[in-house]
Amino acid sequence: MTTVSAEPFEFVCDPKTTALVCIDFQRDFMEPGGFGESLGNDVATLRVAIEPAKRVIEAFRERGLMVIHTREGHRPDLGDLFPAKRDRGNPSLRIGDAGPMGRLLTRGSAGHDIIPELYPIEGEVVLDKPGKGSFYATDLETILRARGITHLVLIGVTTEVCVQTTAREANDRGFDCLILSDCTGSYFPEFHQSALAMFSAQGGIVGWVTDSDALLTALDKGE
Ligand code: TIU
Protein backbone atom coordinates (compact mmCIF):
# COMPACT_ATOMS: atom_id res chain seq x y z
CA MET A 1 0.00 0.00 0.00
CA THR A 2 1.08 3.57 -0.65
CA THR A 3 0.27 6.32 1.81
CA VAL A 4 0.22 9.85 0.40
CA SER A 5 0.29 12.91 2.62
CA ALA A 6 -2.81 14.89 1.55
CA GLU A 7 -5.71 17.10 2.60
CA PRO A 8 -7.86 16.44 4.57
CA PHE A 9 -5.94 13.31 5.64
CA GLU A 10 -3.70 10.61 4.18
CA PHE A 11 -4.73 9.03 0.87
CA VAL A 12 -4.00 5.30 1.00
CA CYS A 13 -4.01 3.31 -2.24
CA ASP A 14 -2.58 0.29 -3.96
CA PRO A 15 -0.85 1.68 -7.07
CA LYS A 16 -1.90 -1.41 -9.04
CA THR A 17 -5.55 -0.45 -8.61
CA THR A 18 -4.91 3.27 -9.07
CA ALA A 19 -5.16 5.05 -12.44
CA LEU A 20 -3.73 8.41 -13.41
CA VAL A 21 -6.35 10.37 -15.35
CA CYS A 22 -4.87 13.24 -17.39
CA ILE A 23 -7.74 15.52 -18.25
CA ASP A 24 -7.87 17.59 -21.42
CA PHE A 25 -4.22 18.63 -21.72
CA GLN A 26 -5.21 19.73 -25.23
CA ARG A 27 -3.69 22.37 -27.46
CA ASP A 28 -7.16 23.95 -27.68
CA PHE A 29 -6.99 24.86 -23.99
CA MET A 30 -3.25 25.41 -23.55
CA GLU A 31 -1.96 27.08 -26.71
CA PRO A 32 -2.78 30.40 -28.37
CA GLY A 33 -5.38 30.25 -31.14
CA GLY A 34 -7.51 27.55 -29.56
CA PHE A 35 -10.90 27.22 -27.92
CA GLY A 36 -9.72 28.53 -24.53
CA GLU A 37 -8.38 31.72 -26.03
CA SER A 38 -11.54 32.16 -28.13
CA LEU A 39 -13.44 32.43 -24.83
CA GLY A 40 -11.24 35.36 -23.84
CA ASN A 41 -8.80 33.46 -21.61
CA ASP A 42 -5.03 33.86 -21.17
CA VAL A 43 -3.83 30.33 -21.91
CA ALA A 44 -0.40 30.98 -20.36
CA THR A 45 -1.97 30.55 -16.92
CA LEU A 46 -2.36 26.81 -17.52
CA ARG A 47 1.17 26.05 -18.61
CA VAL A 48 2.63 25.91 -15.08
CA ALA A 49 1.02 22.48 -14.74
CA ILE A 50 3.03 20.94 -17.59
CA GLU A 51 6.37 20.17 -15.88
CA PRO A 52 4.94 18.63 -12.68
CA ALA A 53 2.40 16.69 -14.76
CA LYS A 54 5.22 15.31 -16.89
CA ARG A 55 7.03 14.02 -13.79
CA VAL A 56 3.90 12.29 -12.50
CA ILE A 57 3.08 10.72 -15.87
CA GLU A 58 6.67 9.43 -16.11
CA ALA A 59 6.44 7.95 -12.60
CA PHE A 60 3.29 6.02 -13.54
CA ARG A 61 4.85 4.84 -16.79
CA GLU A 62 8.07 3.67 -15.10
CA ARG A 63 6.03 1.52 -12.71
CA GLY A 64 3.72 0.11 -15.41
CA LEU A 65 0.67 1.75 -13.83
CA MET A 66 -2.45 2.78 -15.70
CA VAL A 67 -2.42 6.14 -17.48
CA ILE A 68 -5.54 7.52 -19.18
CA HIS A 69 -5.80 10.69 -21.25
CA THR A 70 -9.07 12.47 -21.99
CA ARG A 71 -9.91 14.97 -24.70
CA GLU A 72 -12.97 17.19 -24.81
CA GLY A 73 -14.36 17.54 -28.30
CA HIS A 74 -17.00 16.73 -30.85
CA ARG A 75 -17.63 14.68 -33.94
CA PRO A 76 -16.72 16.47 -37.18
CA ASP A 77 -20.43 16.62 -38.08
CA LEU A 78 -21.09 18.19 -34.63
CA GLY A 79 -23.91 15.69 -34.19
CA ASP A 80 -23.00 15.36 -30.49
CA LEU A 81 -22.90 19.10 -29.78
CA PHE A 82 -25.91 20.46 -27.98
CA PRO A 83 -27.02 23.95 -29.12
CA ALA A 84 -26.86 24.94 -25.45
CA LYS A 85 -23.09 24.34 -25.46
CA ARG A 86 -22.46 25.76 -28.93
CA ASP A 87 -24.31 29.01 -28.44
CA ARG A 88 -23.42 29.92 -24.88
CA GLY A 89 -21.35 33.06 -24.22
CA ASN A 90 -19.98 35.37 -26.83
CA PRO A 91 -16.87 33.63 -28.16
CA SER A 92 -14.83 34.99 -31.04
CA LEU A 93 -15.07 31.51 -32.60
CA ARG A 94 -17.50 28.70 -31.83
CA ILE A 95 -16.91 24.95 -31.52
CA GLY A 96 -16.51 23.58 -35.04
CA ASP A 97 -15.35 26.90 -36.53
CA ALA A 98 -11.96 27.01 -38.24
CA GLY A 99 -9.16 28.56 -36.18
CA PRO A 100 -5.36 28.64 -36.53
CA MET A 101 -5.13 25.02 -35.23
CA GLY A 102 -8.06 23.72 -37.27
CA ARG A 103 -11.67 23.42 -36.20
CA LEU A 104 -12.16 24.26 -32.52
CA LEU A 105 -12.77 21.31 -30.17
CA THR A 106 -13.41 19.06 -33.15
CA ARG A 107 -12.01 15.55 -33.27
CA GLY A 108 -9.27 15.21 -35.86
CA SER A 109 -8.11 18.82 -35.72
CA ALA A 110 -4.64 19.76 -34.46
CA GLY A 111 -6.01 21.88 -31.65
CA HIS A 112 -8.14 19.05 -30.31
CA ASP A 113 -5.08 16.88 -29.74
CA ILE A 114 -2.94 16.66 -26.63
CA ILE A 115 0.03 19.01 -26.23
CA PRO A 116 3.32 17.46 -27.38
CA GLU A 117 4.90 17.77 -23.91
CA LEU A 118 2.37 15.33 -22.40
CA TYR A 119 1.55 13.22 -25.44
CA PRO A 120 0.23 9.68 -24.80
CA ILE A 121 2.40 6.71 -25.58
CA GLU A 122 1.32 3.42 -27.11
CA GLY A 123 -0.88 1.36 -24.82
CA GLU A 124 -2.37 4.29 -22.93
CA VAL A 125 -6.10 4.88 -23.14
CA VAL A 126 -7.15 8.04 -24.99
CA LEU A 127 -10.77 8.82 -24.26
CA ASP A 128 -12.81 11.28 -26.31
CA LYS A 129 -15.68 12.94 -24.47
CA PRO A 130 -18.31 15.45 -25.57
CA GLY A 131 -18.84 16.95 -22.11
CA LYS A 132 -16.91 18.40 -19.23
CA GLY A 133 -17.11 15.23 -17.15
CA SER A 134 -15.07 12.24 -18.32
CA PHE A 135 -17.78 9.71 -17.41
CA TYR A 136 -20.64 11.33 -19.32
CA ALA A 137 -21.27 9.58 -22.68
CA THR A 138 -18.01 7.59 -22.52
CA ASP A 139 -16.91 4.07 -21.57
CA LEU A 140 -14.49 5.28 -18.88
CA GLU A 141 -16.30 3.53 -16.04
CA THR A 142 -16.27 0.22 -17.92
CA ILE A 143 -12.55 0.57 -18.68
CA LEU A 144 -11.71 1.30 -15.03
CA ARG A 145 -13.88 -1.49 -13.61
CA ALA A 146 -12.45 -4.01 -16.09
CA ARG A 147 -8.96 -3.29 -14.70
CA GLY A 148 -10.14 -3.39 -11.09
CA ILE A 149 -9.32 0.29 -10.59
CA THR A 150 -10.68 1.76 -7.35
CA HIS A 151 -8.55 4.89 -6.89
CA LEU A 152 -7.89 7.78 -9.26
CA VAL A 153 -5.20 10.44 -9.36
CA LEU A 154 -6.56 13.38 -11.34
CA ILE A 155 -4.49 15.99 -13.15
CA GLY A 156 -5.31 18.31 -16.05
CA VAL A 157 -7.18 21.41 -17.06
CA THR A 158 -9.15 23.27 -16.06
CA THR A 159 -9.39 22.76 -12.32
CA GLU A 160 -12.92 23.99 -11.78
CA VAL A 161 -14.40 22.80 -15.07
CA CYS A 162 -13.36 19.40 -16.44
CA VAL A 163 -11.20 18.25 -13.53
CA GLN A 164 -13.80 19.10 -10.92
CA THR A 165 -16.69 17.68 -12.96
CA THR A 166 -14.81 14.42 -13.51
CA ALA A 167 -13.87 14.17 -9.83
CA ARG A 168 -17.47 14.60 -8.78
CA GLU A 169 -18.68 12.01 -11.28
CA ALA A 170 -15.99 9.58 -10.09
CA ASN A 171 -16.77 10.15 -6.42
CA ASP A 172 -20.44 9.38 -7.01
CA ARG A 173 -19.39 6.12 -8.66
CA GLY A 174 -17.40 5.04 -5.61
CA PHE A 175 -13.87 5.87 -6.75
CA ASP A 176 -11.48 7.50 -4.26
CA CYS A 177 -10.02 10.57 -5.97
CA LEU A 178 -6.81 12.50 -5.36
CA ILE A 179 -6.25 15.78 -7.21
CA LEU A 180 -2.68 17.06 -7.61
CA SER A 181 -2.86 20.82 -7.12
CA ASP A 182 0.28 21.74 -9.09
CA CYS A 183 -0.64 19.46 -12.02
CA THR A 184 -3.97 21.21 -12.56
CA GLY A 185 -4.60 24.76 -13.70
CA SER A 186 -7.29 27.32 -14.27
CA TYR A 187 -7.62 30.55 -16.26
CA PHE A 188 -8.80 32.00 -12.93
CA PRO A 189 -6.34 31.51 -10.03
CA GLU A 190 -9.07 32.14 -7.47
CA PHE A 191 -11.26 29.42 -9.00
CA HIS A 192 -8.31 27.01 -8.90
CA GLN A 193 -7.87 27.61 -5.17
CA SER A 194 -11.60 27.48 -4.42
CA ALA A 195 -12.21 24.31 -6.40
CA LEU A 196 -9.40 22.52 -4.57
CA ALA A 197 -10.57 23.82 -1.20
CA MET A 198 -14.19 22.74 -1.70
CA PHE A 199 -13.09 19.34 -2.97
CA SER A 200 -11.33 18.29 0.24
CA ALA A 201 -13.49 20.27 2.68
CA GLN A 202 -15.97 18.64 5.06
CA GLY A 203 -13.65 15.71 5.71
CA GLY A 204 -13.04 15.03 2.02
CA ILE A 205 -16.59 15.47 0.78
CA VAL A 206 -15.46 14.81 -2.81
CA GLY A 207 -11.91 13.56 -2.22
CA TRP A 208 -8.30 14.40 -1.43
CA VAL A 209 -5.84 17.08 -2.58
CA THR A 210 -2.05 17.03 -2.55
CA ASP A 211 0.82 17.98 -4.86
CA SER A 212 3.14 16.09 -7.17
CA ASP A 213 6.05 16.01 -4.71
CA ALA A 214 3.94 14.32 -2.05
CA LEU A 215 2.69 11.69 -4.50
CA LEU A 216 6.12 10.99 -5.96
CA THR A 217 7.66 10.67 -2.49
CA ALA A 218 4.94 8.23 -1.47
CA LEU A 219 5.37 6.15 -4.64
CA ASP A 220 9.11 5.89 -3.97
CA LYS A 221 8.56 4.90 -0.35
CA GLY A 222 5.83 2.41 -1.16
CA GLU A 223 8.20 0.19 -3.09
N1 TIU B 1 -13.42 26.71 -20.26
C1 TIU B 1 -12.83 25.95 -19.35
O1 TIU B 1 -12.34 26.40 -18.32
N2 TIU B 1 -12.71 24.61 -19.56
C2 TIU B 1 -13.32 23.87 -20.53
O2 TIU B 1 -14.11 24.36 -21.33
N3 TIU B 1 -12.98 22.56 -20.62
C3 TIU B 1 -12.12 21.92 -19.74
O3 TIU B 1 -11.95 22.32 -18.61
N4 TIU B 1 -11.47 20.88 -20.22
Side-chain angles (χ1 to χ4, degrees):
M1 282 302 204
T2 293
T3 301
V4 189
S5 170
E7 292 292 334
F9 51 85
E10 287 173 340
F11 180 83
V12 181
C13 65
D14 176 352
K16 287 194 291 299
T17 56
T18 302
L20 176 67
V21 186
C22 310
I23 299 172
D24 300 1
F25 279 121
Q26 291 164 259
R27 298 182 66 193
D28 255 329
F29 295 113
M30 306 192 74
E31 293 185 6
F35 178 66
E37 194 175 75
S38 82
L39 298 173
N41 299 306
D42 174 9
V43 294
T45 54
L46 303 187
R47 300 192 63 85
V48 291
I50 296 174
E51 281 308 314
K54 203 188 233 174
R55 286 195 288 276
V56 172
I57 292 170
E58 283 306 322
F60 270 68
R61 284 177 182 159
E62 281 165 14
R63 290 165 175 80
L65 304 175
M66 188 174 205
V67 178
I68 296 176
H69 306 261
T70 71
R71 301 186 296 196
E72 180 182 351
H74 296 274
R75 293 165 168 274
D77 66 4
L78 304 182
D80 57 356
L81 176 61
F82 294 127
K85 181 174 179 182
R86 185 192 61 221
D87 297 337
R88 196 159 315 146
N90 189 22
S92 53
L93 289 170
R94 290 184 190 280
I95 295 170
D97 288 351
M101 293 190 285
R103 296 176 66 202
L104 262 59
L105 279 200
T106 306
R107 294 176 194 163
S109 74
H112 173 262
D113 211 353
I114 293 168
I115 57 171
E117 296 92 330
L118 302 178
Y119 209 75
I121 60 172
E122 206 178 320
E124 293 177 347
V125 173
V126 178
L127 187 102
D128 284 321
K129 62 187 180 72
K132 305 302 182 193
S134 302
F135 288 84
Y136 170 68
T138 74
D139 53 6
L140 178 59
E141 185 170 359
T142 307
I143 290 169
L144 295 173
R145 301 253 188 247
R147 279 271 295 245
I149 298 292
T150 55
H151 290 64
L152 304 179
V153 175
L154 301 175
I155 64 175
V157 298
T158 62
T159 319
E160 80 282 11
V161 183
C162 291
V163 176
Q164 175 159 231
T165 305
T166 297
R168 289 174 183 276
E169 289 181 325
N171 182 54
D172 281 348
R173 286 165 173 78
F175 294 97
D176 281 331
C177 297
L178 176 67
I179 296 183
L180 302 185
S181 56
D182 56 334
C183 304
T184 60
S186 170
Y187 302 120
F188 306 89
E190 67 275 27
F191 291 173
H192 175 75
Q193 293 301 341
S194 301
L196 295 175
M198 67 179 78
F199 188 71
S200 64
Q202 305 181 64
I205 192 78
V206 186
W208 287 256
V209 177
T210 194
D211 60 18
S212 57
D213 279 347
L215 179 73
L216 295 174
T217 301
L219 282 176
D220 283 341
K221 267 199 203 142
E223 287 172 346

